[in-house]
Structures are given as C-alpha cells and as structure tokens.
Amino acid sequence: MSGAPVKFQARKTVEQVEEGNDLAPKFDDRGLIAVVTTDATSGELLMQGYMNAEALQLTISTGEAHYYSRSRNVLWHKGATSGLVQTVQELLVDDDQDCVWLRVDVTGGASCHVGYRSCFYRKVPVAGDFEAKQSEGHVALEWTETEKVFDPDEVYGDAPNPTVL
Amino acid sequence: MSGAPVKFQARKTVEQVEEGNDLAPKFDDRGLIAVVTTDATSGELLMQGYMNAEALQLTISTGEAHYYSRSRNVLWHKGATSGLVQTVQELLVDDDQDCVWLRVDVTGGASCHVGYRSCFYRKVPVAGDFEAKQSEGHVALEWTETEKVFDPDEVYGDAPNPTVL
C-alpha cells in the first residue's frame, strides 16, 4: 500500500479534462466510473465493471485492480476471494475522463466468476450472419471458449452468485 | 438494413443467462447496457459507451455500431457525422449479459471525437511509479498518443462537444 493518498482535480473546463494532464475523473450520479479491463499480453477483453472514488484511488496506489460491486454494494479487491488478482500494467483514462482502462496481468489466467478466462465467452451473429441464422428474430449465442479455467464451486464455495436477473 | 427485427429473450434464471445460448441482455434502470469497443485488428480499446435496446438491435441487424448518447439523449449511428463508421467483426456478451463487446474495423482509423485514434490517449502512473511521481497526492497524466488522426473542427464543425463536466 502506498503512503500517499491519491487525489483528483476538480473538473473545470472541457479543455482541461480532454487535453490537459490533470487527473479529473467524472463519477456518475451513483458515484461510479466505468472500467474496462483487458489482458495486458493478449489484449483480450476480460471484464467491464465500475469503480467508486476509493476503488480508483486504491487501484492507483497499490497497482492492483479494485472495483465497486453494484450487486453487493461493496468495495471489491479483485481476487480477494478467488486469488485471481489483477496486477495493473497500465491505467488509462478516456477523453472526458468518465472511463478507466486497465491493462492487467491476471494471476491464474481467469477473470470470470463463471470460470472462463474472459467474461466474454459467447458471441452474437451480426448482419448477414444474423439474417442467415435468425428464426423469427431470435438467434442463438455461439461459444468462443469451451473449457473453464477453474471450477467456480471450488473457488467461491457458498458465496452468492453476483449475477442479477 | 436487415429485414428481420432482432428480438431478445426474457431473463428467467442465472443458468439461462450465464450458461445458455439465449440472447437476454440486461438493460439498467436507464434502459442502457454498457458497450466496450476495441479495434478488431490491433486489439486496442477505442471507446466505452452505452446502447439502448434499439441501438443493440440496429447494431446486430446492420453490422454497424449504434450507441445511445447519454449527453445528447439520442440514438447515435457512430460515424453518421464524422464518417468514422465502425463495422462490427464480432459482437460478444458477458457472463450476466449486462455488457456488450464490439470488435470493429473503423473507417478512417479514428474513434475519438477529440481527434485521436483511441479515446484512451493518456495514462496514470500506478503503484511505485505513482509514488515516485506524485506531489501531495496529485500526479500528471502521461500522453500515449501525440498525433491527432483528424482535426475535430473540420470534421464536426459547430456540433456541440459531447463532453459533460
């Protein structure tokens, strides 16, 4: 843990936010900022989540990804339960600073609570492919990963599933 | 434009949503779903945005990225103004289907309204690097792109800047 508390600048002008070097993140009316997390080596999208201010400060100061769980309403040090810690290689902000991009190395090689490497293991056919495969407007998801990296029952035990219907 | 309207399934069980092949996206209380857009060739993160149901249906049926602009409150066919259309190579959904990943080819090679290739052109030092560079908890953003791909004034003219402070 770093000794210095991470501080943010106030958002004053569009030019400051878009073209300056002030770190002035925009948290929404829930106090959250969107986060995109990719594998630093493969470039694969691992997950999309949210941070509150504290999670962003801890991620910057410790170099390990922290999120805010909307389903559990808690600060969430990724890997605290599963051991699948994400070590941040690069942390980037977007033009209007309402999104954070983490490029991470993942201990254990998996980031998805279902047990897959990435949370994105199914795809939707689009355009002509959709047209060819659809039936009355419905189309089946197609798997892009077939083998789980870990057994979620072993890793999470009785912890409640975070998916909300 | 496709002839068939794209339809979604009702969300019934966690198993259906996480491990089934039903397309059953979760729209939040604003009617939106998060979208992550990466370059299909380089893997680079281009932007993070949102879709409403109509934007997702149009993206699937046409194969071109449509979003919902939260700042302008309109359906947004990316590239309609700038010409920087995003052609979808793959559209994936995450485990609980509250996020969409678009892997796209971009006409013109830029996705950012400020004129950069990616919206993510600045990074934040983390961990020991943060500690070494911070001053009273503040740290300067570092540029990862230095050349704009296009001049936003030429492309967008008098259109209002979408950044909200």
Side-chain angles (χ1 to χ4, degrees):
Chain A
M1 180 74 70
S2 156
V6 176
K7 291 184 186 158
F8 306 134
Q9 303 282 357
R11 294 167 65 88
K12 294 170 196 157
T13 68
V14 169
E15 186 178 5
Q16 170 218 18
V17 167
E18 290 188 345
E19 308 257 19
N21 60 16
D22 281 359
L23 174 58
K26 181 177 178 62
F27 297 94
D28 66 14
D29 50 16
R30 303 166 296 180
L32 303 179
I33 190 167
V35 184
V36 174
T37 305
T38 62
D39 185 296
T41 306
S42 71
E44 184 176 40
L45 179 60
L46 296 174
M47 54 181 283
Q48 189 271 330
Y50 294 88
M51 291 176 176
N52 62 1
E54 184 183 5
L56 179 53
Q57 289 165 319
L58 285 169
T59 301
I60 292 171
S61 62
T62 66
E64 293 185 352
H66 290 67
Y67 299 91
Y68 187 83
S69 168
R70 294 174 303 160
S71 56
R72 292 180 287 139
N73 284 314
V74 289
L75 182 76
W76 166 32
H77 180 191
K78 178 74 179 169
T81 300
S82 66
L84 304 172
V85 169
Q86 297 176 340
T87 304
V88 178
Q89 299 302 318
E90 274 195 331
L91 188 161
L92 297 101
V93 292
D94 73 338
D95 40 27
D96 60 353
Q97 300 199 35
D98 70 351
C99 185
V100 170
W101 177 16
L102 302 183
R103 298 183 61 237
V104 304
D105 291 331
V106 184
T107 308
S111 286
C112 172
H113 77 276
V114 181
Y116 294 104
R117 190 174 68 247
S118 162
C119 294
F120 296 82
Y121 46 82
R122 292 170 299 180
K123 67 177 181 178
V124 183
V126 300
D129 196 25
F130 167 78
E131 193 64 27
K133 292 171 176 170
Q134 62 84 28
S135 170
E136 297 185 353
H138 288 290
V139 75
L141 300 178
E142 300 175 353
W143 253 248
T144 57
E145 289 187 50
T146 51
E147 297 288 331
K148 292 191 181 186
V149 177
F150 67 89
D151 179 345
D153 290 338
E154 284 180 17
V155 169
Y156 295 106
D158 293 332
N161 188 301
T163 291
V164 176
L165 288 179
Chain B
M1 181 75 69
S2 156
V6 176
K7 290 185 186 157
F8 305 134
Q9 304 281 357
R11 294 168 64 88
K12 294 170 198 158
T13 68
V14 170
E15 186 179 5
Q16 170 218 16
V17 167
E18 291 188 345
E19 308 256 19
N21 60 16
D22 281 0
L23 175 58
K26 181 175 178 62
F27 298 94
D28 67 15
D29 50 16
R30 303 166 296 181
L32 302 179
I33 190 168
V35 184
V36 174
T37 305
T38 62
D39 185 296
T41 305
S42 71
E44 184 176 40
L45 178 61
L46 297 174
M47 53 183 283
Q48 189 272 331
Y50 294 88
M51 291 176 176
N52 62 1
E54 185 183 5
L56 179 55
Q57 289 166 320
L58 284 169
T59 301
I60 292 171
S61 63
T62 67
E64 293 185 351
H66 291 67
Y67 300 91
Y68 187 83
S69 168
R70 292 173 303 159
S71 55
R72 292 180 287 140
N73 284 314
V74 290
L75 182 76
W76 165 33
H77 179 191
K78 177 75 179 168
T81 300
S82 66
L84 305 172
V85 169
Q86 297 175 340
T87 304
V88 178
Q89 299 302 317
E90 274 195 331
L91 188 159
L92 297 101
V93 292
D94 74 338
D95 40 28
D96 59 353
Q97 301 199 35
D98 70 352
C99 185
V100 170
W101 176 17
L102 302 183
R103 297 183 62 237
V104 305
D105 292 331
V106 184
T107 308
S111 286
C112 172
H113 77 277
V114 181
Y116 294 104
R117 192 175 66 246
S118 162
C119 294
F120 296 82
Y121 46 82
R122 293 169 298 180
K123 68 177 179 177
V124 183
V126 301
D129 196 24
F130 166 78
E131 194 63 28
K133 292 171 175 169
Q134 62 84 29
S135 171
E136 296 185 355
H138 288 291
V139 75
L141 300 178
E142 300 175 354
W143 253 249
T144 58
E145 289 187 49
T146 51
E147 297 288 330
K148 292 191 181 186
V149 177
F150 67 88
D151 178 345
D153 290 338
E154 283 180 17
V155 169
Y156 294 107
D158 294 331
N161 188 301
T163 291
V164 176
L165 288 179

